[in-house]
Amino acid sequence: MKQLLSLVMSLALTFFLGGAITLNAEWVEAKTLNFALAGNPDTLDPHKTSGTLTFQTIKSLYDTLVEPGMDGKIVPALAEKWEVTDDALAWTFYLKKEVTFHNGDKLTSKDVKATFERILDKATASPKAKEFSSIIGIETPDDTTVIFKLKEPASPLLASLASGWGAILPKGLIDAGHDFGTQPVGTGPFVLKKWIRDSQIVLQKNNNYWMKGLPQLEEIVMHIIPERAVSVQGLISGQVDVAYVIDKDDLPMLEASPDVKIEKSLTALIMVMSMNCSNPVLKDIRVRQAINYAIDKQKVLDVAYGGGKIIGTFMDYGNAYYKDFSGLYPYDPSKAKALLAEAGIGQETTLELFLPQNYELHVKAGEMYQDMLTKVGLNVKIKLVDWSTWLSDVYRAAKYDLTVIGHTGKLDPDGTLAGYGTKDRYVRWINPRAAELIDQARKVSGFENRKQLYDEVLEIMAKEVPFMYLGSSYRYTAVRKNVSDFRMTPKLDTFDFRWTTIE
């Protein structure tokens, strides 16, 4: 049996990685890093996506004016420094000189202006446009100076500028209507060589990158491998160098390999089962409360996600703005049954649970949720969808009843909470007071002042439960021992290969 499994894994690796012998030879000669990616990006255009996996991928292709350092603080990137007026209505950024785009164009303030005009243009339909809606004017007094004029103070703006959706594009290509979705052009450390959907994304070193001496790798091959067993076998055999999400069940096999090291950390993810509150059944708070009581949260965290910390509201556990409401809905199946009976919900009511099939951990969690909800009398049917469909139908169009996902942490709480309490978010939960508080917190400066407002928001969300709040999971990243300095951006959880080396 073991020999048969080994043969199957070998054939699968050959299929996904294009042949073991050839790949290994290229790896040695070209300093190529082979990376296991769980699925396809929906696009490579940073202004037309909200997908976590997409931002993780395009971090290597684009740069932003500022970026998070490894301690989470925002530091200069394409802008060498910035200033904010006392009234917080004018933000001035001074660009680095001698930065070039992948097509050879030199970065100037006009590129920055064109970039944010593109984001704010309704024709672009950027899902992140609202984060920059406080900008009412952009001035470019010279080639290296950009001034953002704001209609009102906006504390979260710096964090938005530091996030992947603030990536800077060349004005010439924007004006020409260039297709950045399939032909990305940025100032990033790597250049796209090719993208074969469902197979691989190949990135080559940008020899003119503005950070001198970086990147150190010549090439990155992102192999799209939804099957976790293939990733694990690839790590052990040496055909995969890094896999960023490892199932707890696979840890013993990887830990037994002398050539693999495991790194464990608490993610900034907010793991949830989201509920469509426009659904007549889920609009009833008693049903949403019942769903929260029905779930053994620590068990799901441990079994599906490899452990983590339970949360009770819509904020990641390690966030400075997090407030603990996890005691509101403890595991209590009897209470869940009573609430469902009170709401008149029985087996004749069917809820569809949409699961993104390329995320095995979410699928496993979803299967556990289905079992737990069935035990309290809910009729839940699982529907597997690909990632592109999940983004278009579930996240953007709210065509679902229940779904399972992990929301990526953000550099500012507004990035997490903006839009909630209105019909604009995919849970379709409407609460004017929460929406008002979130809007107020956006305009207020100072941690304590903002936290007071966010505390009330998080309490409302904790009590009204538009989600079943699970927790912030641990991340197990597996890296071959000859790989050094593979980094994940704090909060945003994007891949940063600039310092990565292979011995």
Side-chain angles (χ1 to χ4, degrees):
M1 187 66 179
K2 288 183 178 178
Q3 289 178 330
L4 177 60
L5 180 61
S6 177
L7 176 60
V8 170
M9 288 297 99
S10 177
L11 289 171
L13 279 166
T14 300
F15 174 76
F16 277 106
L17 303 180
I21 298 174
T22 302
L23 185 144
N24 250 358
E26 289 178 355
W27 177 80
V28 172
E29 294 172 8
K31 292 181 72 175
T32 296
L33 182 86
N34 290 289
F35 187 83
L37 193 65
N40 283 292
D42 58 329
T43 177
L44 297 179
D45 187 331
H47 303 156
K48 295 187 177 184
T49 184
S50 54
T52 298
L53 183 146
T54 302
F55 286 121
Q56 289 175 324
T57 304
I58 63 178
K59 165 72 174 172
S60 294
L61 298 169
Y62 300 99
D63 289 309
T64 47
L65 291 174
V66 291
E67 65 181 12
M70 290 309 295
D71 59 358
K73 294 179 180 177
I74 296 177
V75 299
L78 294 179
E80 61 184 10
K81 62 179 181 178
W82 65 93
E83 300 167 352
V84 181
T85 55
D86 291 341
D87 61 6
L89 295 179
W91 295 42
T92 303
F93 290 83
Y94 301 93
L95 303 181
K96 286 183 168 66
K97 299 177 177 65
E98 307 306 324
V99 176
T100 57
F101 289 97
H102 298 157
N103 67 343
D105 290 355
K106 184 178 177 181
L107 171 72
T108 74
S109 57
K110 292 180 176 59
D111 300 303
V112 178
K113 185 175 189 290
T115 290
F116 289 97
E117 287 176 343
R118 179 181 192 254
I119 295 171
L120 292 168
D121 186 346
K122 289 184 179 179
T124 305
S126 172
K128 301 292 186 178
K130 284 190 176 180
E131 294 197 21
F132 304 102
S133 60
S134 60
I135 299 172
I136 56 172
I138 305 172
E139 297 177 0
T140 55
D142 58 52
D143 280 353
T144 58
T145 307
V146 182
I147 304 171
F148 292 100
K149 294 296 185 69
L150 310 186
K151 62 183 176 184
E152 60 191 8
S155 293
L157 179 60
L158 192 66
S160 297
L161 294 171
S163 302
W165 40 96
I168 306 301
L169 310 182
K171 180 180 186 300
L173 293 184
I174 292 174
D175 293 344
H178 180 77
D179 178 15
F180 293 96
T182 59
Q183 302 171 57
V185 178
T187 60
F190 293 90
V191 179
L192 179 70
K193 180 179 179 182
K194 62 181 175 180
W195 177 16
I196 304 172
R197 288 183 181 272
D198 300 316
S199 178
Q200 60 181 217
I201 298 170
V202 181
L203 308 179
Q204 284 189 324
K205 177 179 180 178
N206 176 6
N207 290 311
N208 298 313
Y209 191 52
W210 53 272
M211 294 183 74
K212 301 303 180 187
L214 298 178
Q216 302 204 40
L217 293 169
E218 294 293 330
E219 186 177 67
I220 301 169
V221 180
M222 294 182 171
H223 301 279
I224 298 168
I225 310 176
E227 291 77 4
R228 95 172 193 247
V230 178
S231 296
V232 170
Q233 190 62 30
L235 281 162
I236 292 170
S237 68
Q239 293 171 280
V240 170
D241 299 306
V242 179
Y244 71 101
V245 178
I246 296 297
D247 192 289
K248 186 180 179 182
D249 292 344
D250 296 322
L251 290 177
M253 185 186 303
L254 289 167
E255 288 169 344
S257 171
D259 300 316
V260 177
K261 54 187 175 183
I262 304 294
E263 298 170 0
K264 176 184 176 182
S265 59
L266 186 68
T267 68
L269 290 169
I270 305 167
M271 314 302 291
V272 293
M273 177 164 52
S274 314
M275 300 182 243
N276 188 342
C277 298
S278 66
N279 177 302
V281 174
L282 296 167
K283 196 170 186 176
D284 190 330
I285 191 172
R286 294 171 297 183
V287 178
R288 303 200 302 271
Q289 289 172 329
I291 289 172
N292 274 267
Y293 280 123
I295 304 303
D296 186 340
K297 300 175 179 68
Q298 194 63 59
K299 183 176 181 180
V300 176
L301 272 174
D302 290 345
V303 175
Y305 295 110
K309 300 288 188 180
I310 293 174
I311 57 173
T313 190
F314 197 62
M315 188 64 64
D316 54 295
Y317 183 87
N319 198 297
Y321 287 90
Y322 176 74
K323 187 171 183 180
D324 186 21
F325 295 101
S326 58
L328 279 178
Y329 297 102
Y331 178 50
D332 190 340
S334 297
K335 181 71 172 174
K337 290 177 182 178
L339 282 165
L340 290 173
E342 185 181 321
I345 303 300
Q347 281 291 321
E348 71 281 358
T349 300
T350 300
L351 295 174
E352 283 192 316
L353 175 58
F354 284 67
L355 302 177
Q357 62 186 6
N358 60 300
Y359 285 101
E360 287 192 40
L361 305 187
H362 294 329
V363 173
K364 182 185 289 187
E367 291 168 348
M368 295 181 72
Y369 292 146
Q370 181 192 41
D371 180 61
M372 292 174 186
L373 293 174
T374 298
K375 287 177 179 175
V376 299
L378 274 175
N379 186 2
V380 176
K381 304 296 184 186
I382 285 177
K383 184 172 182 178
L384 294 174
V385 295
D386 61 55
W387 182 235
S388 295
T389 301
W390 190 92
L391 285 171
S392 62
D393 290 1
V394 177
Y395 191 71
R396 294 180 187 139
K399 296 177 181 177
Y400 76 103
D401 299 328
L402 303 169
T403 191
V404 177
I405 200 64
H407 283 264
T408 309
K410 300 293 188 293
L411 297 172
D412 187 275
D414 187 73
T416 298
L417 296 169
Y420 283 100
T422 75
K423 62 180 176 59
D424 294 340
R425 287 294 196 168
Y426 76 120
V427 288
R428 299 295 193 260
W429 169 70
I430 298 174
N431 186 293
R433 177 58 179 166
E436 178 189 4
L437 289 164
I438 292 167
D439 188 56
Q440 288 178 20
R442 187 181 302 117
K443 303 169 188 174
V444 171
S445 61
F447 173 78
E448 291 299 333
N449 294 330
R450 300 184 77 204
K451 190 172 191 309
Q452 185 175 356
L453 296 169
Y454 285 129
D455 279 354
E456 187 176 344
V457 174
L458 295 176
E459 183 173 4
I460 294 171
M461 295 188 80
K463 289 178 176 177
E464 295 208 0
V465 285
F467 301 90
M468 189 292 298
Y469 305 108
L470 183 69
S472 292
S473 59
Y474 290 120
R475 180 200 299 114
Y476 298 92
T477 301
V479 182
R480 296 280 297 179
K481 287 189 175 176
N482 60 341
V483 175
S484 300
D485 228 346
F486 165 67
R487 302 183 183 185
M488 296 285 285
T489 307
K491 298 295 183 188
L492 298 177
D493 284 340
T494 52
F495 316 134
D496 194 339
F497 297 104
R498 287 177 289 185
W499 290 269
T500 307
T501 60
I502 299 179
E503 294 177 5

